[in-house]
C-alpha cells in the first residue's frame, strides 16, 4: 500500500508500523440501536439470533462493533429501522455535542444523515433537528435515513451552510461536520487513497472556516458547537479552529476538552511546520486508526460564552403548524387503531399534514412532531416523515409509517418465516391462514419480531392471500435474512 500521502504525518504518529498495519486491515463495522423502537439488549439478542457476533462499544452506550465482513446494511432488521450503521469515529461528534431531548440542533452539513439521525435518536425524537445540506443529490439518502428510523422531529434545508441567513435562527447546539479531504476514511473507501496520491493535502480548508464561523454565529450564547473532519491534515483541523479563535472577540469562545473515556485519542496540535495554533488547540481530539482500530478523525468542541453579544440575532422560529397544511388526523389514526391496534395516544405530540407536490396538492400526508420549530427562511425542503396515502378509497399507511409505528401493532401482523419473507418483500402472493387475520385489508409483515412493511390481503379462489408492498428501493437493499 502506497502511504506516501501520509508521510508528512510521520512525526505525529507514535507507532508508524501499527498505523500502516491498521490501514491495511478491513474496517470493523459499528451499529447502534434505534432506541425509538428497540433497547440495546434487544438489539444484541436480535443480532446474535441472526448469527452476527456483536460486542458492545466500551465508550458508547447502545453501539456494537461487528466483525469485518458483516453486512449489517443489508438485513431486514436494518430496513425495519431497528438499528443504524455508522463508522465508530463518526459517533464522536454527537457524543461530544451531547444534545438533550427538547433542545434545538442545527446540523450544517448533514447528508447522508448519520449524525443527524444519531442526534435525533439521542434526543428521543423530541425538540428540533434542522439538517442542512448543499448537495441536492445527497438529500435523498438523508430523507431515507430519517424515514427508516422514524425520526419525526427533523426538517431538511437545502442551502449553502456558509451563506445561511440570520433568519435560520439560533440553536442550542450546532454541528459543523465539514467536507474535507477524507484522509481518515481510506480503510472504508480505498479509492480515497488513490485520489490523495494525486492531490495537495489540506486543499479544502477555505470553505471549512466559513462554515465554522456560521456555526458560531448560529449558536446561542452559552451554546455548543462541534467542528469535525475525517482528515489528518492540520490545515483542515487545528488551523481552521485557530483562525476562528484568532478572529473572535476575546473571551467570547473557548475550547472544551474533547476527551472520551474508553476511547484512546491524542491532543490537537499546538503547532505544525512553523505555524503556531496556540496551547488551547491541545484540547481538541485526534483519533488515529491504530489506537482503537477505527478510521481517523478530528474533533474540536467550542463553547460560546453566555455573555457573548449576538451581532446578527436570529428571528424567533416558526411553529410547524404555521408552515404546513394541517389536516384532521382522525381518519388515519382510526385506520391504525382499528386495523392494527396502534393506540391513538402514540400520536398526541404529532401533527398530520398534507404534502405539497409542486403547485398541486398531493394525496400524500406527512407526520411531524408538533414541537418542531422551523426557520423563517430558508423554506424547509421537507419536514417529518411520510405518513399516509390519502387520495384513495382506503387510506394506506406509508412504508415509513408502517416500520416507524408498526412495532406498536397488536393485530393483523403477518409473521413470516425465512422462506416466505422474501416473497413478501418482493410482492409475490402468499397464501395465509384466515384465523390469523381479520379478513381482507392491510396487514403488517413481520419477520423475527421486526415489522418490515405493509401488505394487503384479499380473497382469491376461495383463499386469503397477502401481497407485500415493500418499496423496490428497500427490497433491493436486502441480501440476507440471516442463517
Ligand atoms: C462530511 S460530509 C457530512 C457527513 C454527515 N454529517 C453524516 O454524518 O452523515 C459533508 C457534507 O457537507 C456537504 N457540503 C459541502 N459543502 C457544503 C456547504 N457549503 N453547505 C452545506 N453542506 C455542504 C457535502 O455535500 C457533504 O454531504
Amino acid at each position: 500500500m502506497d502511504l506516501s500521502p501520509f508521510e508528512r504525518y510521520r512525526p505525529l504518529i507514535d507507532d508508524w508500523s501499527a498505523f500502516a498495519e491498521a490501514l491495511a486491515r478491513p474496517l470493523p463495522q459499528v451499529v447502534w440501536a434505534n432506541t425509538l423502537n428497540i433497547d440495546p439488549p434487544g438489539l444484541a439478542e436480535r443480532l446474535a439470533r441472526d448469527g452476527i457476533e456483536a460486542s458492545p462499544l466500551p465508550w458508547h452506550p447502545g453501539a456494537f462493533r461487528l466483525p469485518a465482513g458483516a453486512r449489517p446494511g443489508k438485513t431486514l432488521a436494518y430496513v425495519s429501522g431497528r438499528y443504524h450503521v455508522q463508522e465508530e469515529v463518526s459517533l464522536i461528534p454527537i457524543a461530544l455535542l451531547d444534545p438533550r431531548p427538547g433542545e434545538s440542533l442545527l446540523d450544517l452539513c448533514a447528508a447522508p444523515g448519520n449524525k443527524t439521525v444519531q442526534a435525533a435518536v439521542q434526543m428521543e425524537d423530541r425538540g428540533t433537528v434542522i439538517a442542512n445540506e448543499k448537495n441536492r443529490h445527497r438529500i435523498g439518502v438523508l430523507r431515507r435515513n430519517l424515514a427508516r428510523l422514524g425520526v419525526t422531529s427533523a426538517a431538511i434545508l437545502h442551502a449553502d451552510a456558509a451563506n445561511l441567513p440570520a433568519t435560520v435562527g439560533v440553536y442550542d447546539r450546532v454541528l459543523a461536520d465539514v467536507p474535507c479531504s477524507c484522509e481518515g476514511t481510506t480503510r472504508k473507501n480505498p479509492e480515497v487513497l488513490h485520489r490523495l496520491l494525486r492531490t495537495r493535502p489540506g486543499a479544502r480548508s477555505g470553505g471549512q472556516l466559513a462554515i465554522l464561523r456560521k456555526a458560531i454565529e448560529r449558536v446561542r450564547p452559552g451554546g455548543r458547537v462541534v467542528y469535525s473532519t475525517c482528515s489528518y491534515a492540520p490545515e483542515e483541523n487545528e488551523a481552521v479552529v485557530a483562525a476562528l479563535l484568532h478572529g473572535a472577540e476575546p473571551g467570547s469562545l473557548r475550547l472544551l476538552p474533547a476527551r472520551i473515556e474508553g476511547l484512546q485519542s491524542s491532543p490537537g496540535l499546538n503547532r505544525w511546520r512553523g505555524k503556531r495554533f496556540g496551547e488551547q488547540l491541545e484540547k481538541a481530539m485526534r483519533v488515529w486508526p491504530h489506537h482503537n482500530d477505527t478510521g481517523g478523525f478530528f474533533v474540536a468542541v467550542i463553547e460560546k460564552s453566555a455573555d457573548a453579544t449576538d451581532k446578527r440575532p436570529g428571528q424567533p422560529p416558526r411553529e410547524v403548524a404555521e408552515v404546513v397544511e394541517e389536516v384532521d388526523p382522525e381518519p388515519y389514526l382510526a385506520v391504525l387503531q382499528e386495523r392494527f391496534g396502534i393506540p391513538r395516544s402514540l400520536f398526541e405530540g404529532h401533527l398530520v399534514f398534507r404534502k405539497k407536490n409542486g403547485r398541486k396538492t398531493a394525496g400524500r400526508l406527512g407526520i411531524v412532531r408538533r414541537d418542531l420549530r422551523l426557520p423563517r427562511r430558508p423554506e424547509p425542503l421537507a419536514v417529518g416523515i411520510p405518513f399516509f396515502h390519502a387520495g384513495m378509497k382506503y387510506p394506506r399507511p406509508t412504508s415509513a409509517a408502517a416500520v416507524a409505528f408498526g412495532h406498536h401493532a397488536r393485530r393483523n401482523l403477518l409473521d413470516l418465516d425465512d422462506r416466505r419473507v422474501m416473497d413478501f418483500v418482493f410482492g409475490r402472493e402468499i397464501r395465509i391462514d384466515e384465523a390469523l387475520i381479520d379478513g381482507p385489508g392491510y396487514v403488517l409483515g413481520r419477520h423475527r419480531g421486526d415489522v418490515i412493511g405493509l401488505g394487503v390481503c384479499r380473497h382469491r379462489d376461495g383463499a386469503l392471500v397477502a401481497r407485500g408492498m415493500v418499496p423496490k428501493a428497500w427490497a433491493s437493499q436486502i441480501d440476507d435474512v440471516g442463517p
Side-chain angles (χ1 to χ4, degrees):
M1 185 181 281
D2 181 354
L3 294 185
S4 56
F6 304 141
E7 275 296 331
R8 63 200 294 262
Y9 307 127
R10 211 179 252 267
L12 306 178
I13 296 173
D14 57 354
D15 185 340
W16 179 262
S17 55
F19 172 73
E21 274 165 31
L23 293 194
R25 282 197 299 274
L27 185 67
Q29 306 248 23
V30 168
V31 299
W32 49 260
N34 177 9
T35 47
L36 303 180
N37 71 42
I38 194 167
D39 59 15
L43 176 62
E45 199 186 296
R46 190 166 256 89
L47 290 167
R49 205 182 47 195
D50 290 354
I52 301 178
E53 203 183 305
S55 34
L57 268 196
W59 66 273
H60 194 291
F64 299 87
R65 190 181 267 216
L66 312 185
R71 290 166 66 90
K74 300 278 180 186
T75 67
L76 287 162
Y78 174 80
V79 165
S80 76
R82 292 298 198 185
Y83 60 82
H84 190 62
V85 185
Q86 190 171 351
E87 248 204 272
E88 180 169 340
V89 280
S90 160
L91 292 165
I92 300 170
I94 295 299
L96 291 170
L97 191 56
D98 195 21
R100 312 286 168 92
E103 288 188 337
S104 59
L105 179 144
L106 173 63
D107 183 353
L108 286 172
C109 303
N114 294 310
K115 299 177 192 73
T116 314
V117 292
Q118 184 194 356
V121 169
Q122 193 171 312
M123 291 163 71
E124 298 169 13
D125 200 23
R126 287 192 285 123
T128 290
V129 173
I130 303 293
N132 177 67
E133 168 60 43
K134 180 174 156 187
N135 184 341
R136 188 72 169 84
H137 301 295
R138 288 171 62 89
I139 288 181
V141 57
L142 166 64
R143 282 176 101 139
R144 283 198 292 282
N145 276 326
L146 290 164
R148 186 177 53 82
L149 294 178
V151 171
T152 57
S153 58
I156 298 175
L157 303 184
H158 174 218
D160 177 354
N163 289 318
L164 277 172
T167 47
V168 81
V170 287
Y171 294 80
D172 296 314
R173 324 240 166 191
V174 182
L175 175 64
D177 185 41
V178 297
C180 68
S181 57
C182 302
E183 289 177 340
T185 65
T186 55
R187 291 182 75 182
K188 193 174 71 172
N189 301 319
E191 67 278 13
V192 168
L193 191 55
H194 300 128
R195 175 172 54 72
L196 291 170
L197 286 163
R198 302 190 306 267
T199 53
R200 194 162 49 88
R204 304 192 62 150
S205 40
Q208 293 157 345
L209 179 56
I211 295 173
L212 177 56
R213 287 203 170 117
K214 182 58 67 176
I216 298 294
E217 183 193 287
R218 294 293 109 222
V219 77
R220 67 164 167 80
R224 185 180 288 194
V225 167
V226 162
Y227 175 80
S228 52
T229 75
C230 48
S231 167
Y232 310 117
E235 295 88 342
E236 300 186 277
N237 295 331
E238 288 89 346
V240 175
V241 180
L244 169 83
L245 298 179
H246 184 71
E249 264 178 43
S252 62
L253 300 177
R254 71 176 179 124
L255 285 193
L256 301 181
R259 299 287 178 267
I260 292 179
E261 218 184 298
L263 182 77
Q264 191 182 340
S265 60
S266 307
L269 309 178
N270 59 32
R271 65 180 69 203
W272 165 252
R273 296 192 163 177
K275 288 209 174 80
R276 286 172 183 278
F277 303 134
E279 303 295 308
Q280 260 211 85
L281 261 299
E282 289 177 17
K283 291 190 176 153
M285 171 195 257
R286 284 183 159 261
V287 178
W288 296 101
H290 55 298
H291 286 161
N292 308 277
D293 199 12
T294 61
F297 224 72
F298 172 85
V299 185
V301 185
I302 306 156
E303 191 182 69
K304 187 174 190 172
S305 156
D307 309 324
T309 44
D310 257 339
K311 294 212 185 84
R312 299 184 69 211
Q315 292 176 4
R318 292 179 293 177
E319 306 235 338
V320 69
E322 290 175 53
V323 179
V324 299
E325 184 191 335
E326 188 169 359
V327 299
D328 176 10
E330 184 42 39
Y332 314 106
L333 303 193
V335 171
L336 297 179
Q337 170 90 63
E338 283 155 26
R339 181 74 187 169
F340 299 116
I342 298 175
R344 282 180 171 79
S345 57
L346 197 65
F347 303 97
E348 268 159 18
H350 288 91
L351 175 158
V352 176
F353 62 96
R354 192 172 300 286
K355 288 183 136 194
K356 298 258 171 60
N357 179 7
R359 267 188 288 135
K360 275 195 279 164
T361 307
R364 294 199 310 141
L365 305 178
I367 188 162
V368 62
R369 292 285 310 192
R370 196 174 277 282
D371 52 8
L372 172 66
R373 296 288 173 264
L374 293 169
R376 301 256 140 207
R377 216 167 48 80
E379 207 57 50
L381 192 76
V383 301
I385 61 171
F387 190 46
F388 259 81
H389 300 279
M392 48 181 59
K393 191 169 170 199
Y394 300 108
R396 167 159 63 86
T398 60
S399 302
V403 300
F405 307 115
H407 52 276
H408 295 277
R410 298 287 165 266
R411 290 200 301 282
N412 292 306
L413 286 151
L414 194 58
D415 278 304
L416 300 154
D417 58 22
D418 290 353
R419 190 176 51 81
R420 294 198 312 167
V421 69
M422 292 319 259
D423 287 336
F424 184 87
V425 165
F426 288 106
R428 296 187 285 262
E429 263 184 9
I430 310 169
R431 252 170 181 261
I432 54 175
D433 181 348
E434 304 232 5
L436 301 176
I437 300 291
D438 306 335
Y442 295 125
V443 287
L444 290 167
R446 188 163 66 172
H447 176 251
R448 302 184 184 181
D450 300 326
V451 171
I452 54 167
L454 192 79
V456 64
C457 262
R458 63 191 177 100
H459 279 122
R460 199 169 59 78
D461 303 332
L464 200 57
V465 292
R467 191 172 54 76
M469 303 166 94
V470 176
K472 283 206 179 72
W474 295 18
S476 61
Q477 285 179 36
I478 301 161
D479 69 1
D480 183 12
V481 292

